[in-house]
Amino acid sequence: MRTDRSRRLEADALPDDAEFALCLTHDVDRPYKGLRGLYYATQERPGYHLRTLLPGSNPYWQFESIMELEADLGVRSAFYFLNEQHLLAERPVREWFSPSNWVQHLGRYDVTADEVVETIRALDDGGWEVGLHGSYHTRDDRDRLREEKQTLERVLGKPVAGGRQHHLRLAVPDTWDHHRSIGLEYDASLGSAAECGFHYGYRPIRPFEDNGSDFLVFPLTIMDQALPDPGTEFEAARRTCERLLLDAARNDAVMTVLWHPRYFNEREFPGHRRLYRWLVERAAEMGAWIGSPGAFCQHLEGEIEVEAEAESDADAELDARDDPEVTPVTGSKADSDGKTRPARETDPGGVTDAADPTESEPVGTDSPTARGES
């Protein structure tokens, strides 16, 4: 159901006359494997997992590998960094006695640590987007969300545009109201950690219309852990991705995907890196625009500026026609890159069967799986 509070972008919002858009994102949950290797060693391959505990061995630190891969593909993505509270130092005493809280906070990292700061700035310098991964409790805590944003911005040296909530935890539309109130332009949390698909429509949503708000929601189409395991069922995983790419192309969609950095470690997650490369290459073959949600927002801002200039020129021309002493301004207005493009047709059937997130209960997943997080 569509409501006045749930407007979706039109098809002609796609950049560069693209057939569809593919937004690439990575949630930086646990860049350090740490003591979790002990647990994994009790489940499988004890020799391998115990070796990952040795100094200098960190199979989840995949930033340089991802940057090299994406640079080779000619694309850029978004990395969302998590800034969790310390369980013992910052959370209430009553939470210390919950085993799930210990699991939740195990492997916490510090975004102000030298190694992380250096990586964040290297990503930004290389053209990647750095965004906010709102921590577990910030779904309902605007002040904590603002604090995490400010900390990340001090590290980055400039504002961040958006991000995604940890474990996709949302209270709709309250969490989005928190996001826009602290200055974020978009959120990419709406989706499922268990199922792939366009469950919330084919295009980003503008959940607020008051005060001319342009805050955007990018529904999540694919999370890595929701796919068939590409290590044992690569063709099944590839077919799922192919089906969704074709669906995106048919509906001029904005398709958002999430690959956690640790999944690029082929020793533990075989097939995921190969599948990610295939997905990007296949989307490029099909004529997709490929980039980060932040870059997509920048495109929209540019289009709005061009439209505003065109309206201003049109108003000036009308004024000139009304005033015989003013010479009329003539000429046509092109797109921001100098090309004049026809409007794209909109598929009105593309979103009518999608659920309206503004009328739902809090969505997302409140508990991590054994090996997957969001």
Side-chain angles (χ1 to χ4, degrees):
M1 180 185 300
R2 297 184 64 177
T3 71
D4 290 340
R5 297 180 61 195
S6 180
R7 296 178 298 130
R8 304 177 196 277
L9 294 182
E10 298 302 325
D12 58 8
L14 293 173
D16 304 327
D17 272 350
E19 294 299 317
F20 64 99
L22 177 65
C23 291
L24 307 173
T25 69
H26 311 288
D27 291 355
V28 185
D29 296 327
R30 297 292 180 261
Y32 303 100
K33 185 176 180 181
L35 295 176
R36 290 187 300 172
L38 290 174
Y39 169 76
Y40 298 150
T42 66
Q43 306 299 309
E44 61 174 13
R45 295 187 291 168
Y48 164 75
H49 288 294
L50 290 174
R51 284 194 298 273
T52 63
L53 299 175
L54 297 174
S57 175
N58 185 20
Y60 288 1
W61 189 273
Q62 293 289 322
F63 298 107
E64 292 84 358
S65 175
I66 298 171
M67 292 169 70
E68 181 179 352
L69 171 62
E70 293 184 346
D72 183 56
L73 293 168
V75 300
R76 294 295 185 269
S77 60
F79 286 79
Y80 302 139
F81 284 84
L82 183 63
N83 182 16
E84 296 171 295
Q85 292 176 300
H86 193 287
L87 178 60
L88 298 180
E90 300 178 272
R91 298 303 303 170
V93 174
R94 65 179 181 275
E95 296 185 8
W96 298 2
F97 305 99
S98 169
S100 63
N101 284 337
W102 282 96
V103 172
Q104 172 64 29
H105 288 268
L106 189 64
R108 173 185 177 272
Y109 66 98
D110 182 1
V111 295
T112 66
D114 290 344
E115 189 176 31
V116 179
V117 170
E118 182 180 344
T119 296
I120 287 174
R121 293 177 179 172
L123 287 165
D124 181 58
D125 290 342
W128 280 268
E129 180 187 355
V130 173
L132 179 66
H133 199 29
S135 66
Y136 190 80
H137 300 283
T138 58
R139 177 182 73 178
D140 308 304
D141 191 340
R142 180 179 302 188
D143 292 338
R144 174 63 194 181
L145 190 66
R146 179 184 290 109
E147 181 180 338
E148 293 176 5
K149 176 177 178 282
Q150 291 172 345
T151 299
L152 182 60
E153 290 176 337
R154 284 194 295 270
V155 169
L156 183 61
K158 65 182 185 182
V160 298
R164 176 179 291 121
Q165 290 296 113
H166 197 29
H167 295 306
L168 311 183
R169 280 172 53 86
L170 284 175
V172 175
D174 295 348
T175 308
W176 293 333
D177 191 41
H178 298 333
H179 287 172
R180 67 168 179 167
S181 74
I182 66 172
L184 293 177
E185 299 176 17
Y186 77 85
D187 173 61
S189 308
L190 184 66
S192 172
E195 297 181 358
C196 300
F198 292 96
H199 304 300
Y200 294 95
Y202 289 102
R203 299 181 198 111
I205 302 163
R206 286 192 173 110
F208 306 109
E209 290 193 4
D210 58 301
N211 300 321
S213 174
D214 288 323
F215 182 86
L216 282 180
V217 171
F218 287 81
L220 180 60
T221 313
I222 297 176
M223 184 190 292
D224 44 21
Q225 68 190 42
L227 289 165
D229 182 2
T232 57
E233 301 178 84
F234 185 86
E235 282 305 308
R238 187 196 62 78
R239 285 194 298 270
T240 299
C241 293
E242 173 81 0
R243 172 177 58 81
L244 292 169
L245 287 170
L246 292 172
D247 198 14
R250 283 193 297 267
N251 292 281
D252 304 301
V254 178
M255 176 176 175
T256 303
V257 302
L258 161 59
W259 248 257
H260 293 86
R262 65 184 179 279
Y263 276 72
F264 288 84
N265 168 28
E266 281 290 307
R267 289 294 304 277
E268 271 180 64
F269 304 99
H272 278 276
R273 179 187 178 90
R274 176 187 168 198
L275 182 61
Y276 183 82
R277 173 182 280 277
W278 178 88
L279 176 72
V280 174
E281 291 178 336
R282 179 68 176 122
E285 289 175 0
M286 296 171 65
W289 174 92
I290 305 173
S292 70
F296 189 94
C297 290
Q298 289 178 359
H299 157 75
L300 291 180
E301 290 171 2
E303 291 294 304
I304 291 171
E305 291 176 1
V306 169
E307 290 174 3
E309 291 175 3
E311 290 177 4
S312 178
D313 288 348
D315 290 343
E317 185 174 352
L318 289 174
D319 291 342
R321 290 174 180 174
D322 294 338
D323 187 347
E325 297 182 0
V326 178
T327 303
V329 178
T330 60
S332 60
K333 197 69 180 175
D335 285 354
S336 57
D337 60 358
K339 299 178 181 178
T340 302
R341 299 188 174 95
R344 302 174 64 89
E345 294 184 358
T346 302
D347 176 9
V351 297
T352 54
D353 59 347
D356 181 1
T358 64
E359 298 181 352
S360 66
E361 295 297 321
V363 297
T365 171
D366 288 356
S367 60
T369 60
R371 297 289 296 281
E373 299 179 48
S374 57

